Amino acid sequence: MAPDTLRSRLFRSGAFWFAVSILGSLAGVWLSVRTLVRYSNPPSGGYWFVLAGLALIFLAGYAAWRLARAGTYSWLLPLAAINLVLLQPGRAGDVRTWRLEWGVMGLVWTLAAVLVFALLLRRSDELERRLHLEGAFYGLAFGLVASVVYALFENRLPELRGQWVAVVLLLAWWLGYLVTARRYRWQS
Amino acid sequence: MKNRLRVLRAERDWSQAELAERLSVSRQTVNAIENERYDPSLPLAFAIARIFALRIEDIFTPEVEAPGVEPPMDLTSRT
């Protein structure tokens, strides 16, 4: 049997493709947005920046696909949370004219991502499904408690935005998954 | 639930990954069952029994018998 090196563990656990996807998303969105927000006065080589940004976003999508193909579905949760923060689907930002179109497009992408994740979970084995069930329970329980705590300090805290709630729930689900996996001695 | 999965697997010289492939589950699931951290579902328990050509109760043993349940009678032994 081949020795269990750090490199092989990084690949097998999905950590490598997770890192590629995160870096691709961060760099791709940064490059694209930086160029596109100045579309009326693009910097020199602006089109190349946009192309490079789109290529990096494509790479991030490919890495997410590799994660799904390898069955390391849990990485998709923090990935979704980070991409929610980066892309903010449903929010038009400064593009007032296309507000509805941006919103609907974001909604379609989000629904597609939820559907794909549900299909992936149906394909996974029974222990993986159980880990996600318990993880999602912990996530929802945390969200419930957090919402009550927020209500306690509502006057002193900044206004809550829907997407932050989704991000916190996704991360709490993922942490719940990790805690549950550890309990079952899950060794990815 | 106690089980003899590790012993049975070792007798056949199968790795966890090989057994997992035969059962169509992940290696981690086999690992969790062997370490008695996870009790498999009934269909999976049947699949395990079928692979080892044994009965479920030959592989899995409850740690505590359910109250009021008599241990199974051995119909094969005659005195």
Side-chain angles (χ1 to χ4, degrees):
Chain A
M1 186 182 283
D4 198 17
T5 59
L6 177 66
R7 188 167 170 269
S8 68
R9 261 183 293 165
L10 276 175
F11 272 96
R12 205 180 57 231
S13 67
F16 173 78
W17 288 114
F18 174 71
V20 169
S21 191
I22 290 291
L23 292 175
S25 291
L26 283 170
V29 170
W30 181 77
L31 264 179
S32 306
V33 170
R34 193 178 157 78
T35 316
L36 287 173
V37 291
R38 292 192 289 171
Y39 65 94
S40 57
N41 181 25
S44 63
Y47 295 113
W48 290 110
F49 281 136
V50 172
L51 278 179
L54 290 176
L56 282 167
I57 291 171
F58 181 80
L59 176 68
Y62 172 74
W65 176 74
R66 289 296 299 257
L67 285 172
R69 192 162 160 246
T72 47
Y73 308 129
S74 63
W75 288 112
L76 298 175
L77 294 172
L79 210 56
I82 289 165
N83 278 296
L84 269 178
V85 175
L86 283 176
L87 302 172
Q88 303 199 19
R91 283 181 62 83
D94 296 329
V95 192
R96 304 276 174 203
T97 6
W98 296 92
R99 178 172 286 278
L100 183 65
E101 287 78 358
W102 273 106
V104 171
M105 196 169 75
L107 181 65
V108 169
W109 277 108
T110 308
L111 286 174
V114 170
L115 184 68
V116 167
F117 193 71
L119 289 174
L120 289 175
L121 276 189
R122 283 185 66 179
R123 276 180 49 195
S124 62
D125 77 351
E126 58 181 54
L127 181 55
E128 177 80 359
R129 283 201 296 270
R130 182 175 182 146
L131 294 177
H132 275 288
L133 180 70
E134 291 191 27
F137 164 75
Y138 287 131
L140 282 175
F142 175 80
L144 177 70
V145 174
S147 68
V148 174
V149 170
Y150 175 82
L152 270 175
F153 302 101
E154 205 164 19
N155 295 336
R156 294 179 194 172
L157 292 172
E159 194 181 344
L160 201 58
R161 276 170 45 184
Q163 286 196 335
W164 299 123
V165 177
V167 169
V168 168
L169 281 176
L170 277 170
L171 291 178
W173 175 355
W174 183 52
L175 288 176
Y177 171 91
L178 293 180
V179 170
T180 313
R182 190 172 173 76
R183 192 151 53 81
Y184 286 104
R185 282 192 186 162
W186 188 266
Q187 293 159 358
S188 295
Chain B
M1 185 94 72
K2 298 261 177 219
N3 70 72
R4 297 172 51 220
L5 203 57
R6 193 187 299 274
V7 176
L8 293 168
R9 184 173 60 76
E11 282 172 3
R12 283 153 183 81
D13 203 20
W14 291 344
S15 67
Q16 284 187 344
E18 278 178 282
L19 178 57
E21 199 177 332
R22 285 166 193 264
L23 291 168
S24 301
V25 296
S26 65
R27 185 191 62 79
Q28 290 90 341
T29 299
V30 171
N31 184 53
I33 296 171
E34 279 190 0
N35 287 313
E36 293 166 3
R37 288 288 178 141
Y38 174 66
D39 295 334
S41 68
L42 205 48
L44 182 54
F46 270 111
I48 292 169
R50 201 163 44 242
I51 278 179
F52 290 111
L54 292 168
R55 295 178 306 174
I56 289 180
E57 56 266 41
D58 294 332
I59 304 173
F60 298 96
T61 327
E63 286 183 61
V64 183
E65 289 288 350
V69 176
E70 293 292 325
M73 200 182 336
D74 190 357
L75 298 173
T76 56
S77 65
R78 289 165 192 265
T79 53

